[in-house]
Amino acid sequence: MSVQERKQRERAERERLIVATARELAEQQGWDAVTTRRLAERIEYSQPVLYSHFRGKREIIGAVALEGAAELAAAVRAATSAADGPRERVAALARAYLDFASRNPAVYDALFQLDGGLAYAQEDTPEPLKDAFAALLESLGEVAGDGVHPGLFTETFWGALHGLATLTRAGRLPPEDAERRTALLVDRLAVV
């Protein structure tokens, strides 16, 4: 291995450590607790080293969001691949999405609530974000209904899922009715 390759590998490892540490701290204490000073202390590197990877917290949030988007896409695909039939796929998608949001609140916030400097729904949208949307579209597109644009239906269904995830997490919806809400969403919106 050349010196250049070793340096690149070490740089990538430091970057993964920064992102993992930021994510861990955010999940434990919230995003307000994530500062470059605290991250530098936790990873035992100086702040200038941290800044050589990320210009600041915004870029770190963006990196966590991209990692989370890949995880969300994988979770949705795993859940839908095990389901038999369109309605079951949509129900599995909804449960996987809501479960992801519940299990990873800081990552979910990085994806959909905080400014990570990422472009959404544009030509320059990063691939992990496009792929997360594609994972939703794969199952939702087949139940959009006649004359309904699959992408528009996916956006609408996703918006409903996001609302359920956000309101439940904020304590605005009783958690004991979560499964009934999911079933209602699937039954009323997905044309099977």
Side-chain angles (χ1 to χ4, degrees):
M1 173 182 301
S2 73
V3 172
Q4 180 66 18
E5 289 171 328
R6 182 183 52 77
K7 285 183 178 187
Q8 287 175 338
R9 188 186 77 233
E10 289 171 355
R11 181 172 176 75
E13 287 172 7
R14 272 193 313 272
E15 193 165 300
R16 280 191 295 275
L17 178 62
I18 293 166
V19 171
T21 304
R23 184 175 172 165
E24 178 183 322
L25 186 57
E27 291 292 1
Q28 291 171 352
Q29 299 176 31
W31 278 104
D32 286 343
V34 179
T35 64
T36 54
R37 172 173 278 149
R38 288 184 83 185
L39 286 174
E41 288 170 2
R42 282 203 175 196
I43 63 172
E44 298 179 348
Y45 283 104
S46 67
Q47 281 185 286
V49 169
L50 194 139
Y51 282 116
S52 74
H53 291 274
F54 299 99
R55 286 183 286 198
K57 183 175 176 177
R58 181 179 186 219
E59 284 189 5
I60 294 168
I61 290 169
V64 170
L66 293 177
E67 189 176 271
E71 292 171 10
L72 176 60
V76 165
R77 286 189 175 110
T80 57
S81 71
D84 186 30
R87 186 202 181 285
E88 291 76 18
R89 278 190 288 282
V90 173
L93 176 150
R95 283 191 298 275
Y97 183 96
L98 295 170
D99 183 55
F100 179 88
S102 175
R103 283 184 299 106
N104 304 284
V107 173
Y108 192 81
D109 285 350
L111 268 165
F112 301 120
Q113 304 285 72
L114 301 174
D115 178 10
L118 303 173
Y120 285 77
Q122 299 180 24
E123 282 187 37
D124 60 341
T125 298
E127 282 306 313
L129 298 178
K130 289 179 181 179
D131 189 52
F133 184 79
L136 300 175
L137 181 63
E138 289 162 11
S139 293
L140 293 171
E142 69 180 321
V143 297
D146 293 336
V148 177
H149 187 278
L152 185 60
F153 178 76
T154 300
E155 291 170 350
T156 302
F157 198 92
W158 170 34
L161 287 174
H162 175 69
L164 290 175
T166 303
L167 291 169
T168 299
R169 188 168 134 209
R172 304 294 197 270
L173 298 175
E176 62 271 10
D177 293 328
E179 189 59 38
R180 289 179 47 211
R181 273 188 222 96
T182 302
L184 183 61
L185 179 64
V186 171
D187 289 341
R188 299 294 181 192
L189 285 184
V191 178
V192 181

